Each structure stands twice: as structure tokens, then as C-alpha cells.
Amino acid sequence: MQLKDRKMPQGGGGRSVAFSGKKKKEQLRARKERKINIPNPKYNNSEVEEAEKAENSYISVVTDALEAIRGPGHLDEVEELNLQPRAQQNSSSKRYNLKFKKDKDEEKERLKTFHYAKLDTICGSDMEVEINDFYPPGLNFPTRPAWRKNMSKKELDHQENRYFRLFCDKLDKDFAHQDLSLYELNLETWRQLWRVMEMADILLIIVDARYVACQFPPYLYEELSEKRNKNIILVMNKCDLIPPELVLAWEKYLMCHFPSLLLVPFSSLEGVRKKRGLMRMAAESSLRLVEACQKLVGGKVNLDSWRNKIEEERDITFDEECEVQENIVEEPDTSPLEHQRFNDGILTIGTIGHPNVGKSSLINALMGKKVVSVSRTPGHTKHFQTIFLTPKVKLCDCPGLVFPSKVSKPMQVLHGSYPIAQYRDPISAVHYMASRINVPQILKLQHPEKGTAIEWTPYFISEAWAKKRGFFLKSKGGRPDTSRGANELLRLCLNGHRSLIMYIAPPGFHENIHCFENDEKLKDIILIQGIKKDNAIEELEELQEGQLILQDNSEESDDEDQDMASEAPCRNPFELLMDDE
């Protein structure tokens, strides 16, 4: 086949001469320049030139402003996470990817020192923290800058971009000498948060009950409650993974520091799974949330239909692997909006929270059936979506957001803000976890260095688990795949499986635990958790006998491994967490 554009240079005697790739690129560039210079008879050349000049001037101003704010090479410091395969990539999927600041080389080297570091036991009162430990004074989050109704889309975009860059620059400068955590650097995601804050009558701040102090920014409470006069409900999701006494302790602590806050313990799924895939929605938790909303709304909106819907479907089980119903997704319009309370007689509820706190599971529980897909991957919910729970109750959900804080990166990995699969040094996070829970004893691990007095280190724990699970590197002489072993240990802790349950407590919890054990509200918390005492005792006995620990089996298939990793968590075996005390 003859090529029209590619004319091969000929040497003497008609012989072909090599035509390099560099010369081909120059040829293609010349063709593009010729096409650009060809005048288009459909348009007036002077009008086109003026339009191009105005557009180029605007782009130049914006570019100069951004470069002045972010400094040279700023974009190289940001990494995008949860990227989709090329076949699935589109403008919307890439638009809302998680964006964090890249780790510096010296930080990567520092984390490697934890691989063989001695494990310092941290338990009991050492696990008690104040919220201000993670959110010191002066820390804040970006809010939508002032806007006018007659602003064009370009003007608004330019203003928000400039404000966001200035905010990030100031935050990094003010906390340059402190260990500031990774936080969301994607402006599109913050815009969706602004939209939800403007639309909602009631805002649900959803936190993982194990890490309340890490995921409840005081500056968010001040912005919503004091400056915007919004009604707030703090939802302690996954409360079935912590002792009921701890739920009461956090409730007392939060009511003392945030008086206008309503707190609702929540367990998205009730009961232990009897058969593979079958779950029952958490009716008790959902009804408590309905009551809290009714208390804030008063008689302005009738929520009886929502309450009746949950009560009718409380005993219905669903298949966790069933096909998800179609979501009601809005076009991603994040332009400013003036709030109208109970617009058209409809209660609008907005959800705010870090990634992986269980917002999608909570929505399914409130709806009474599975309406949104659920994933353990941070950033799974990519866009703003509106779901009508009833004709009078509308719920607005936006992607999880990592707020600025001083939460350490290993802790961000363990509570799901940073994707475990994309964490390049999982063994360093195992050090953080194993210092707080006795992983070798709980999982009955055998030390790789038999017959020696070598102590447990994060590397040895990861290696021992890799051997137990049959994770080996074929390309490296069959050595244990320690990275994969560490990765799975982190996932088990994140999902609350196999008693690898880590949590933090408010000040004075362990000293005053007897007061919470005798509290009258304890029975209500146990009812919400969906835990029966007899079942908890039986599972604890099974765990101590080793029946819930994976046995070595080299013939296990990949499907069986996946099923093991997705089993329901053990309920209330908290005595094992006190082994080191």
C-alpha cells in the first residue's frame, strides 16, 4: 500500500534512506501548521482574530495568576488516586478523582525505617485523645468565596480557582512546621460539598465510630451551626464495631463540647450473616435518625411516611451481591445557590463525611433497600446524587472529603481516607496498627525466625501472615509476598474483621468505664448495634479456639480467598484488645 504523505528520501542508485521518528514528527508538525494557517471562508477573519485574542488574553491572565499562587512545579506535587482503566476513562470519571500531595523522597525513606522497628505497646489510656489533637486552632477548610448573580461561568470559575489556590498556599505556609495530613486537593469535589451545604435543611456529618475524633472537624461544626445556622446531626456509623460503653462516652464528650449537636449511633447492617450474601437493613438505627430529624423539623414537614416505610421493610433481607438499582443522579451543577428552607414542602438532608465512613451503606439503610452501590474503596461515590427517600424527604449525597487535619498518614490508611491498594508502603502502616493491637496473638501467627529470640516487627508480621495465607512471589524464588500480606492485614483492620478492631477513646474513658457500664442508655445502644450477648460469647469462644482464623491451605481458590475477606465481622470480642494491658 502506497503512503501519500510519507515520501521516503532516495539516495544514489534508488536505494532507500533511513527516515527517523524525529523527522516524522517534524513532518507532522509542519502539516498541522499548514492546516492552521488555511483561512476558513465561513467566518470573518477579523472577528476570529479578535475572539482568539480575547480568549488568549483571558487564559494568559488566569495562567499567570495561578502560577504566581502555586509556584513553579506545584502541579508535579499532586497525585491522582483511584484512576480508572483507560477503557473506562471519561471526563466525568477523571474529574472527581481523589487528589493528594505527593510524599517527598525523605518521607518515603523515613517510613521504611519502621519495617524492622520494635513495636511499642500503646493501649488503654494511651489511646485516649482530644479532638483538638487532630484539629488545632487556626485550621480550617475552603468555603465558597463571595459571588454575584450576574457573574459569568468563566468569572466564577476563575475566582474559585484563585481562592482555592490561595487557601492551600496559606494552609501549607501556616502549618509548614507541623505534620499536616493529606487533604483533598480536587476543587471539583469541594464544589460539590459547597452545593450540599447550600441545599440542605439538615446536614448529617457521618463518622466512623472507631475514629470519631479523627473525622469530626470542629471548624466544620462552627461554619454550619454558628455561621450558617444549619441543623446538624452527627451519625456514628459502624458503632457495632466498638464497645457500647464507648458509644456512650463519645456521646457525653461531644454533648459537652458541641451543645447544639444531635448524635445518633448507627449500624448500617443488622445481625450476623447466616447465609452467604444475606443481610438485614438496620431498622433500629434508621428509626432513631428519623426521630432526630423530626425533632429538628418540628411540624413543618411530616415524616410519618418515611417512618412507616422503614418499619414495613425492617425484616426484609437482601442479597449483598444483587444488582444495584439505578441511582437518581443529578447533572454535576455546582454553581452557587440561595437556600430556601423546606422548599416546596420537602425536607432536604445532606451528607458530609470522609471517604469510607459508610455513607452509601447508610443511604441504603435509610431507603429500606439497596439503591446505591457500596465499595470499600475510598472515593467510590464520584459525583453529586439526589435520592428521594419519600416524596417529602430528599437526600443529597456527595463524595467523601478528606478535611485538613493532623491525622497521621498510617491512621488515614487504617480508617480508609487513603486507598490501601495505592499505599506504596503498607508495612509502615502495619507498624502503627500492631503497636495498638496484638496482631500475632489474635491471628495466631508463627514467627518466621523459628528458634530465635527475635522480637516481632512489622516486616515479620507481614511475612508470617503472607505464609499463612499462601502469598508467595514466583518471580523471586518463592519468597513470601510481604507487601500483599501487609495489604490484607490493613484491609482486615479497616473492615473490622477477625477482631483486628482498633479504636480511639475520649479522655477519661478507661478510668470511668464502670459509670458507662451501669448507664440506663446502654441497653438502647446494644439494641442499635444489633448484637445479642449469647452470639458474642459464642463467637469469642470460637475465636479463642482458633475456628475463625484462616488455616493454611495451599489449595484454596482465589474465589474462596475473596469470600473470606468479605465475611461479616466478629461481634464484640473486645476482651482480646486488652491482652497487652
Side-chain angles (χ1 to χ4, degrees):
M1 183 174 64
Q2 187 176 2
L3 298 177
K4 290 183 179 181
D5 296 325
R6 183 166 181 172
K7 297 179 181 180
M8 303 295 290
Q10 300 296 320
R15 295 178 60 188
S16 299
V17 179
F19 193 63
S20 67
K22 184 177 180 180
K23 291 182 179 179
K24 180 61 179 175
K25 288 181 181 179
E26 292 176 355
Q27 186 187 69
L28 293 174
R29 190 181 299 111
R31 286 178 58 198
K32 285 184 179 180
E33 291 175 355
R34 287 198 301 270
K35 286 184 178 181
I36 292 173
N37 293 329
I38 296 175
N40 193 330
K42 293 184 179 180
Y43 303 100
N44 187 318
N45 289 338
S46 60
E47 294 179 357
V48 172
E49 289 176 1
E50 289 179 4
E52 289 180 352
K53 185 177 180 181
E55 183 71 18
N56 292 336
S57 176
Y58 171 79
I59 294 173
S60 177
V61 171
V62 173
T63 304
D64 293 343
L66 292 180
E67 288 299 332
I69 294 167
R70 64 196 177 202
H74 181 86
L75 293 178
D76 296 335
E77 299 175 2
V78 177
E79 61 177 346
E80 293 188 42
L81 306 180
N82 290 353
L83 292 173
Q84 298 294 324
R86 289 189 177 182
Q88 301 178 14
Q89 278 189 7
N90 53 52
S91 58
S92 61
S93 67
K94 190 175 181 181
R95 185 177 182 181
Y96 304 111
N97 284 326
L98 297 172
K99 291 184 180 180
F100 294 128
K101 185 176 290 187
K102 284 184 180 179
D103 283 337
K104 297 180 179 179
D105 293 337
E106 52 266 27
E107 176 65 15
K108 295 177 183 178
E109 293 299 322
R110 187 185 71 83
L111 291 175
K112 289 181 180 179
T113 61
F114 289 104
H115 290 196
Y116 296 96
K118 181 181 177 182
L119 296 174
D120 298 324
T121 303
I122 302 174
C123 57
S125 58
D126 294 332
M127 293 292 289
E128 297 176 355
V129 294
E130 292 270 6
I131 288 184
N132 288 339
D133 293 342
F134 301 111
Y135 298 96
L139 205 59
N140 210 332
F141 76 108
T143 56
R144 193 191 294 276
W147 56 279
R148 305 184 312 274
K149 288 186 177 180
N150 60 348
M151 290 181 72
S152 67
K153 188 175 181 180
K154 281 187 176 180
E155 288 177 330
L156 183 64
D157 181 72
H158 169 55
Q159 179 171 308
E160 290 178 350
N161 268 286
R162 184 175 183 278
Y163 159 77
F164 185 66
R165 295 293 183 178
L166 283 170
F167 172 85
C168 295
D169 184 65
K170 185 177 185 303
L171 192 66
D172 293 342
K173 182 179 179 181
D174 292 346
F175 292 87
H177 302 292
Q178 301 187 43
D179 296 327
L180 196 64
S181 69
L182 298 175
Y183 60 93
E184 182 61 73
L185 294 174
N186 191 340
L187 176 58
E188 293 295 336
T189 309
W190 287 107
R191 281 172 171 157
Q192 295 186 66
L193 171 69
W194 300 342
R195 181 77 168 186
V196 169
M197 290 168 57
E198 292 164 350
M199 290 182 63
D201 303 312
I202 297 176
L203 283 156
L204 307 181
I205 301 178
I206 307 169
V207 299
D208 189 324
R210 296 171 293 178
Y211 309 105
V212 175
C214 301
Q215 299 179 346
F216 181 53
Y219 51 71
L220 181 62
Y221 169 84
E222 294 173 3
E223 173 69 25
L224 296 176
S225 178
E226 299 176 6
K227 296 181 181 179
R228 304 195 181 204
N229 197 27
K230 294 279 187 177
N231 293 319
I232 306 174
I233 299 176
L234 182 70
V235 181
M236 288 180 59
N237 201 13
K238 306 181 184 180
C239 71
D240 53 311
L241 296 179
I242 64 175
E245 296 85 2
L246 184 57
V247 178
L248 293 177
W250 275 119
E251 183 175 2
K252 181 179 179 181
Y253 176 85
L254 293 168
M255 291 301 101
C256 179
H257 289 77
F258 309 97
S260 62
L261 187 71
L262 284 181
L263 190 142
V264 176
F266 206 95
S267 176
S268 297
L269 295 170
E270 240 176 38
V272 181
R273 181 166 55 185
K274 299 297 182 183
K275 296 181 180 180
R276 177 180 176 182
L278 295 181
M279 288 289 193
R280 189 173 73 239
M281 286 303 178
E284 291 296 335
S285 303
S286 302
L287 290 174
R288 301 298 175 98
L289 188 54
V290 174
E291 292 173 2
C293 292
Q294 189 71 73
K295 182 178 179 181
L296 295 174
V297 172
K300 296 178 182 178
V301 180
N302 192 338
L303 304 182
D304 289 344
S305 59
W306 184 16
R307 182 184 293 104
N308 295 336
K309 178 182 179 65
I310 294 172
E311 289 177 345
E312 289 173 1
E313 299 179 353
R314 66 189 308 166
D315 295 326
I316 297 177
T317 58
F318 75 95
D319 189 347
E320 197 176 25
E321 299 177 356
C322 68
E323 183 177 353
V324 179
Q325 296 188 11
E326 187 69 21
N327 297 4
I328 306 171
V329 180
E330 283 194 354
E331 195 68 23
D333 179 14
T334 55
S335 57
L337 180 73
E338 289 186 356
H339 177 250
Q340 296 181 7
R341 191 170 176 80
F342 307 128
N343 190 23
D344 297 329
I346 296 175
L347 170 63
T348 303
I349 302 174
T351 63
I352 300 175
H354 282 66
N356 230 337
V357 294
K359 291 197 301 297
S360 298
S361 299
L362 180 139
I363 293 171
N364 290 334
L366 296 179
M367 190 67 180
K369 57 184 177 181
K370 194 170 185 182
V371 293
V372 294
S373 67
V374 179
S375 172
R376 297 186 180 98
T377 303
H380 177 66
T381 302
K382 292 290 185 185
H383 41 64
F384 184 93
Q385 51 188 342
T386 299
I387 299 171
F388 277 87
L389 304 179
T390 70
K392 293 293 182 181
V393 181
K394 179 173 67 174
L395 191 143
C396 299
D397 182 33
C398 71
L401 265 166
V402 182
F403 289 82
S405 69
K406 291 185 64 178
V407 179
S408 64
K409 188 172 182 179
M411 199 164 195
Q412 286 186 310
V413 172
L414 285 169
H415 65 60
S417 293
Y418 192 98
I420 292 177
Q422 300 186 45
Y423 189 45
R424 295 182 177 85
D425 193 9
I427 299 178
S428 63
V430 171
H431 178 276
Y432 190 94
M433 176 183 69
S435 296
R436 288 156 177 81
I437 51 180
N438 196 337
V439 178
Q441 180 177 345
I442 293 172
L443 298 181
K444 301 187 183 300
L445 300 180
Q446 294 184 356
H447 201 291
E449 303 291 333
K450 295 181 180 179
T452 65
I454 300 178
E455 297 180 352
W456 283 104
T457 65
Y459 186 88
F460 286 142
I461 291 175
S462 304
E463 183 180 359
W465 182 247
K467 287 182 177 180
K468 194 177 187 71
R469 295 285 283 119
F471 300 153
F472 296 98
L473 296 168
K474 296 181 180 179
S475 60
K476 295 186 178 181
R479 290 189 299 175
D481 190 345
T482 53
S483 294
R484 186 179 176 187
N487 188 296
E488 186 171 85
L489 287 173
L490 297 177
R491 290 182 186 279
L492 292 176
C493 184
L494 170 63
N495 301 328
H497 293 317
R498 310 194 180 285
S499 295
L500 293 183
I501 302 173
M502 189 179 76
Y503 57 79
I504 55 179
F509 169 68
H510 293 86
E511 183 180 354
N512 302 312
I513 191 172
H514 61 280
C515 298
F516 301 110
E517 292 174 344
N518 300 322
D519 197 300
E520 295 179 355
K521 296 181 180 179
L522 194 64
K523 293 181 180 179
D524 292 336
I525 301 299
I526 294 175
L527 182 62
I528 293 172
Q529 291 179 324
I531 301 172
K532 294 182 180 180
K533 187 175 181 181
D534 294 339
N535 289 346
I537 294 174
E538 289 177 4
E539 290 187 4
L540 180 61
E541 291 175 352
E542 289 178 358
L543 181 64
Q544 291 172 339
E545 293 172 3
Q547 295 178 15
L548 294 182
I549 302 301
L550 293 175
Q551 302 297 323
D552 292 330
N553 187 356
S554 58
E555 297 179 356
E556 282 184 334
S557 65
D558 293 337
D559 292 337
E560 289 174 342
D561 290 344
Q562 186 65 28
D563 293 340
M564 289 289 188
S566 62
E567 287 179 357
C570 302
R571 303 300 176 111
N572 248 15
F574 299 105
E575 292 84 346
L576 290 174
L577 302 180
M578 304 300 178
D579 287 338
D580 294 330
E581 291 186 355

